[in-house]
Amino acid sequence: MSAIAANLKAVRAAIAEAATAAGRSPESVNLVAVSKTQPAEAVAEALSAGQRMFGENRVQEAKGKWPVLRDRFPGVELHLIGPLQTNKVRDAVALFDVIETVDREKLARALAAEMTRTGRRPNCMVQINTGREPQKAGIDPDQAEAFTRLCRDELGLPMIGLMCIPPVDDDPAPHFHLLAELAKRCGLNVISMGMSEDYPAAVRMGATHVRIGTAIFGARNYAA
Ligand SMILES: *Cc1c(COP(=O)(O)O)cnc(C)c1O
């Protein structure tokens, strides 16, 4: 078994354990393998091991890597988990199945226009800035409901859930708790939270999607 296949197996087991401990079914948690910066061969190993849900941060990188991989491995669901510039909306709508990072009105309007133009409608999530960090993208928690209503009811975007990236130095648990609470209030079922360092806690607190890179692929090499 390849190292990546072994890592995937271990992560799946840890997800199942955390889910079971919380009285949830392991199948209620989706594993988004974060393949940003990873070469196509590493991603192909994960695909060969049966993984089909992936997350990428950059439209440009995904555009270079995924069309060929998708031809080789049918059934991929690709998530955009990084910031989206409005001038990349056309590529993003064409390439991704889920856009997790809807974080401002201008972007929501651009996505709605592109979906109307093309008829292609990737599912969308609102990124919430649970730590209210000034430098971080995301909607303020107090605006979650109003922004969700704008996206869903006024613009007609296919909204499915909320995602967050807690502040690096905080205990993530209160952020996970807040995101789960906000999702309930917004009437959304999908909760994307938890990364390599903290996904068992996220699963215990209701994550339906965990986004895991390092624990599957090893450390990232940004220089490559
Ligand atoms: C990189 C990234 C992840 C994965 O982080 P790891 O610590 O490598 O698991 C998850 N979510 C987002 C938004 C990311 O940018």
Side-chain angles (χ1 to χ4, degrees):
M1 195 188 291
S2 79
I4 288 170
N7 290 344
L8 271 169
K9 198 173 166 198
V11 167
R12 290 190 175 290
I15 290 171
E17 188 184 323
T20 306
R24 304 180 58 198
S25 106
E27 294 77 43
S28 67
V29 185
N30 296 277
L31 172 56
V32 180
V34 175
S35 50
K36 65 184 182 201
T37 79
Q38 301 299 339
E41 312 84 77
V43 184
E45 274 186 42
L47 285 156
S48 297
Q51 179 64 27
R52 284 297 180 272
M53 205 178 279
F54 289 85
E56 288 281 350
N57 266 53
R58 291 166 166 276
V59 175
Q60 216 54 32
E61 182 187 341
K63 206 179 160 186
K65 208 155 68 180
W66 276 98
V68 173
L69 288 167
R70 278 194 137 131
D71 281 348
R72 279 176 66 195
F73 299 93
V76 165
E77 183 179 305
L78 195 57
H79 291 224
L80 178 62
I81 61 169
L84 178 55
Q85 308 298 323
T86 46
N87 64 3
K88 299 270 168 60
V89 159
R90 183 168 291 194
D91 283 341
V93 166
L95 188 61
F96 289 94
D97 304 296
V98 181
I99 296 173
E100 296 202 15
T101 49
V102 182
D103 61 359
R104 59 201 192 279
E105 182 171 343
K106 186 181 175 203
L107 175 60
R109 290 190 183 279
L111 285 167
E114 181 63 9
M115 290 188 198
T116 301
R117 193 182 74 81
T118 61
R120 193 178 144 75
R121 298 177 58 74
N123 284 329
C124 292
M125 302 189 204
V126 178
Q127 181 174 356
I128 305 291
N129 186 358
T130 57
R132 296 184 167 92
E133 295 173 277
Q135 83 288 2
K136 192 171 271 178
I139 295 292
D140 187 278
D142 294 335
Q143 298 299 316
E145 285 174 272
F147 186 75
T148 299
R149 272 198 304 273
L150 167 78
C151 291
R152 184 180 50 202
D153 304 338
E154 193 175 315
L155 301 177
L157 289 175
M159 303 310 297
I160 59 167
L162 304 182
M163 77 85 90
C164 76
I165 310 168
V168 276
D169 296 326
D170 272 19
D171 173 6
H175 299 275
F176 294 158
H177 182 76
L178 175 61
L179 196 72
E181 196 52 46
L182 289 173
K184 210 178 290 169
R185 267 189 245 158
C186 293
L188 297 170
N189 297 323
V190 171
I191 304 171
S192 172
M193 59 188 188
M195 318 201 313
S196 292
E197 290 297 319
D198 55 20
Y199 67 94
V203 168
R204 286 196 297 274
M205 304 190 86
T208 64
H209 291 65
V210 291
R211 309 176 308 264
I212 300 179
T214 311
I216 295 170
F217 294 104
R220 282 180 287 276
N221 179 3
Y222 285 96

